[in-house]
Coordinates of all heavy atoms in Angstrom, one line a residue:
P324 N -116.8 -71.0 105.1 CA -117.4 -69.7 104.9 C -116.3 -68.7 104.4 O -115.1 -68.8 104.7 CB -117.8 -69.3 106.3 CG -116.9 -70.1 107.2 CD -116.6 -71.4 106.5
H325 N -116.8 -67.8 103.6 CA -116.0 -66.6 103.1 C -116.2 -65.5 104.2 O -117.3 -65.0 104.3 CB -116.4 -66.1 101.8 CG -115.7 -64.8 101.4 ND1 -114.4 -64.7 101.2 CD2 -116.2 -63.6 101.3 CE1 -114.1 -63.5 100.9 NE2 -115.2 -62.8 100.9
C326 N -115.1 -65.1 104.9 CA -115.3 -64.2 106.0 C -114.8 -62.8 105.5 O -113.6 -62.6 105.2 CB -114.4 -64.6 107.1 SG -114.9 -66.3 107.8
D327 N -115.7 -61.9 105.4 CA -115.4 -60.5 105.0 C -115.4 -59.6 106.2 O -116.5 -59.3 106.7 CB -116.4 -60.0 103.9 CG -116.0 -58.7 103.3 OD1 -115.1 -58.0 103.9 OD2 -116.6 -58.3 102.3
Y328 N -114.2 -59.3 106.7 CA -114.1 -58.5 107.9 C -114.3 -57.0 107.7 O -114.3 -56.3 108.7 CB -112.8 -58.8 108.6 CG -112.5 -60.2 108.8 CD1 -111.6 -60.9 108.0 CD2 -113.1 -60.9 109.8 CE1 -111.3 -62.3 108.2 CE2 -112.9 -62.3 110.0 CZ -112.0 -62.9 109.2 OH -111.7 -64.3 109.5
T329 N -114.5 -56.6 106.4 CA -114.6 -55.1 106.2 C -116.1 -54.7 106.1 O -116.4 -53.6 105.9 CB -114.0 -54.8 104.8 OG1 -114.6 -55.5 103.8 CG2 -112.5 -55.1 104.9
V330 N -117.0 -55.7 106.4 CA -118.4 -55.3 106.5 C -118.8 -55.3 108.0 O -118.6 -56.3 108.7 CB -119.3 -56.4 105.8 CG1 -120.8 -56.1 106.0 CG2 -119.0 -56.5 104.4
G331 N -119.2 -54.1 108.5 CA -119.5 -54.0 109.9 C -119.9 -52.6 110.2 O -120.4 -51.8 109.4
K332 N -119.7 -52.2 111.5 CA -120.0 -50.8 111.9 C -119.0 -50.4 113.0 O -118.4 -51.2 113.6 CB -121.4 -50.8 112.4 CG -121.7 -51.7 113.6 CD -123.2 -51.7 114.0 CE -123.4 -52.7 115.2 NZ -124.9 -52.6 115.6
W333 N -119.0 -49.1 113.2 CA -118.2 -48.5 114.2 C -119.0 -48.3 115.5 O -120.1 -47.7 115.4 CB -117.6 -47.2 113.8 CG -116.6 -47.3 112.6 CD1 -116.9 -47.2 111.3 CD2 -115.2 -47.7 112.7 NE1 -115.8 -47.5 110.5 CE2 -114.8 -47.7 111.3 CE3 -114.4 -47.9 113.7 CZ2 -113.5 -48.0 111.0 CZ3 -113.0 -48.2 113.4 CH2 -112.6 -48.3 112.1
E334 N -118.5 -48.7 116.6 CA -119.2 -48.6 117.9 C -118.3 -47.9 118.9 O -117.1 -47.9 118.8 CB -119.6 -49.9 118.4 CG -120.7 -50.6 117.6 CD -121.1 -52.0 118.2 OE1 -120.5 -52.3 119.3 OE2 -122.0 -52.6 117.7
G335 N -119.0 -47.2 119.9 CA -118.3 -46.6 121.0 C -117.3 -45.6 120.5 O -117.5 -44.8 119.5
N336 N -116.1 -45.6 121.1 CA -115.1 -44.6 120.8 C -114.2 -45.2 119.7 O -113.0 -45.5 119.9 CB -114.2 -44.3 122.0 CG -113.3 -43.1 121.7 OD1 -113.5 -42.3 120.8 ND2 -112.2 -43.0 122.5
L337 N -114.8 -45.3 118.5 CA -114.1 -45.8 117.3 C -113.6 -47.2 117.4 O -112.4 -47.5 117.4 CB -112.9 -44.9 116.9 CG -112.6 -44.9 115.4 CD1 -113.7 -44.3 114.6 CD2 -111.3 -44.1 115.2
T338 N -114.5 -48.2 117.6 CA -114.2 -49.6 117.7 C -114.9 -50.3 116.5 O -116.1 -50.2 116.3 CB -114.6 -50.2 119.0 OG1 -114.0 -49.5 120.1 CG2 -114.3 -51.7 119.0
W339 N -114.1 -51.0 115.7 CA -114.6 -51.7 114.5 C -115.2 -53.0 114.9 O -114.6 -53.9 115.5 CB -113.6 -51.9 113.5 CG -114.1 -52.6 112.3 CD1 -113.7 -53.9 111.9 CD2 -115.0 -52.1 111.3 NE1 -114.4 -54.2 110.7 CE2 -115.2 -53.2 110.3 CE3 -115.7 -51.0 111.2 CZ2 -116.0 -53.0 109.2 CZ3 -116.6 -50.8 110.1 CH2 -116.7 -51.8 109.1
V340 N -116.5 -53.2 114.6 CA -117.2 -54.5 114.9 C -117.7 -55.1 113.6 O -118.7 -54.6 113.0 CB -118.4 -54.3 115.9 CG1 -119.1 -55.6 116.2 CG2 -117.9 -53.6 117.2
P341 N -117.1 -56.1 113.1 CA -117.5 -56.7 111.8 C -118.9 -57.5 112.0 O -119.2 -58.0 113.0 CB -116.4 -57.7 111.5 CG -115.3 -57.4 112.4 CD -115.9 -56.8 113.6
S342 N -119.6 -57.5 110.9 CA -120.9 -58.3 110.8 C -120.4 -59.6 110.2 O -120.3 -59.8 109.0 CB -121.9 -57.6 109.9 OG -122.2 -56.3 110.5
L343 N -120.3 -60.6 111.0 CA -119.7 -61.9 110.6 C -120.7 -62.9 110.1 O -121.8 -63.0 110.6 CB -118.9 -62.5 111.7 CG -117.7 -61.7 112.2 CD1 -117.0 -62.4 113.4 CD2 -116.7 -61.4 111.1
S344 N -120.3 -63.6 109.0 CA -121.1 -64.7 108.5 C -121.0 -65.9 109.5 O -120.0 -65.9 110.3 CB -120.7 -65.1 107.1 OG -120.7 -64.0 106.3
K345 N -121.9 -66.8 109.4 CA -121.8 -68.0 110.2 C -120.5 -68.8 110.0 O -120.1 -69.0 108.8 CB -123.0 -68.9 109.9 CG -123.1 -70.1 110.8 CD -124.4 -71.0 110.5 CE -124.4 -72.2 111.4 NZ -125.6 -73.0 111.1
G346 N -119.9 -69.1 111.0 CA -118.6 -69.9 110.9 C -117.4 -69.0 110.9 O -116.3 -69.5 110.9
C347 N -117.6 -67.7 110.9 CA -116.4 -66.7 110.9 C -116.1 -66.2 112.3 O -117.0 -66.1 113.1 CB -116.7 -65.6 110.0 SG -116.9 -66.0 108.3
M348 N -114.9 -66.0 112.6 CA -114.4 -65.4 113.9 C -113.5 -64.2 113.6 O -112.8 -64.2 112.6 CB -113.7 -66.5 114.7 CG -114.6 -67.6 115.2 SD -113.6 -68.8 116.2 CE -113.1 -67.8 117.6
Y349 N -113.6 -63.2 114.5 CA -112.8 -62.0 114.4 C -112.2 -61.8 115.7 O -112.8 -61.9 116.8 CB -113.7 -60.8 114.0 CG -112.9 -59.5 113.8 CD1 -112.1 -59.3 112.7 CD2 -112.9 -58.6 114.8 CE1 -111.4 -58.1 112.5 CE2 -112.2 -57.4 114.7 CZ -111.5 -57.1 113.5 OH -110.8 -56.0 113.4
R350 N -110.9 -61.5 115.7 CA -110.2 -61.2 117.0 C -109.3 -59.9 116.8 O -108.8 -59.6 115.8 CB -109.3 -62.3 117.4 CG -108.3 -62.8 116.4 CD -107.4 -63.9 117.0 NE -106.6 -64.5 116.0 CZ -105.5 -65.3 116.3 NH1 -105.1 -65.4 117.5 NH2 -104.8 -65.8 115.3
V351 N -109.2 -59.2 117.9 CA -108.4 -58.1 118.0 C -107.0 -58.6 118.5 O -106.9 -59.1 119.6 CB -108.9 -57.0 119.0 CG1 -107.9 -55.8 119.1 CG2 -110.3 -56.5 118.5
F352 N -106.0 -58.5 117.6 CA -104.7 -59.1 117.9 C -103.9 -58.4 118.9 O -103.8 -57.1 118.9 CB -103.9 -59.2 116.6 CG -104.3 -60.3 115.7 CD1 -105.4 -60.3 115.0 CD2 -103.4 -61.4 115.6 CE1 -105.8 -61.4 114.1 CE2 -103.8 -62.5 114.8 CZ -104.9 -62.5 114.1
T353 N -103.4 -59.1 119.9 CA -102.4 -58.6 120.8 C -101.1 -58.6 120.2 O -100.9 -59.1 119.1 CB -102.4 -59.5 122.1 OG1 -101.9 -60.8 121.7 CG2 -103.7 -59.6 122.7
Q354 N -100.1 -57.9 120.8 CA -98.7 -57.9 120.3 C -98.2 -59.3 120.1 O -97.6 -59.7 119.1 CB -97.8 -57.1 121.3 CG -96.4 -57.1 120.9 CD -95.5 -56.5 121.9 OE1 -95.8 -56.5 123.1 NE2 -94.3 -56.0 121.6
Q355 N -98.4 -60.2 121.1 CA -97.9 -61.5 121.1 C -98.6 -62.3 119.9 O -97.9 -63.0 119.2 CB -98.3 -62.2 122.4 CG -97.8 -63.7 122.5 CD -96.3 -63.8 122.8 OE1 -95.7 -62.9 123.3 NE2 -95.7 -65.0 122.5
E356 N -99.9 -62.2 119.8 CA -100.6 -62.9 118.7 C -100.1 -62.5 117.3 O -99.9 -63.3 116.4 CB -102.1 -62.8 118.9 CG -102.6 -63.5 120.1 CD -104.1 -63.1 120.4 OE1 -104.5 -62.0 119.9 OE2 -104.8 -63.9 121.1

Side-chain angles (χ1 to χ4, degrees):
H325 170 69
C326 301
D327 191 344
Y328 305 107
T329 63
V330 178
K332 59 182 178 179
W333 296 94
E334 293 183 355
N336 188 20
L337 205 67
T338 300
W339 178 248
V340 180
S342 302
L343 298 177
S344 304
K345 184 178 180 181
C347 296
M348 293 180 63
Y349 180 80
R350 55 175 169 162
V351 178
F352 279 75
T353 64
Q354 178 191 23
Q355 180 78 19
E356 290 170 340

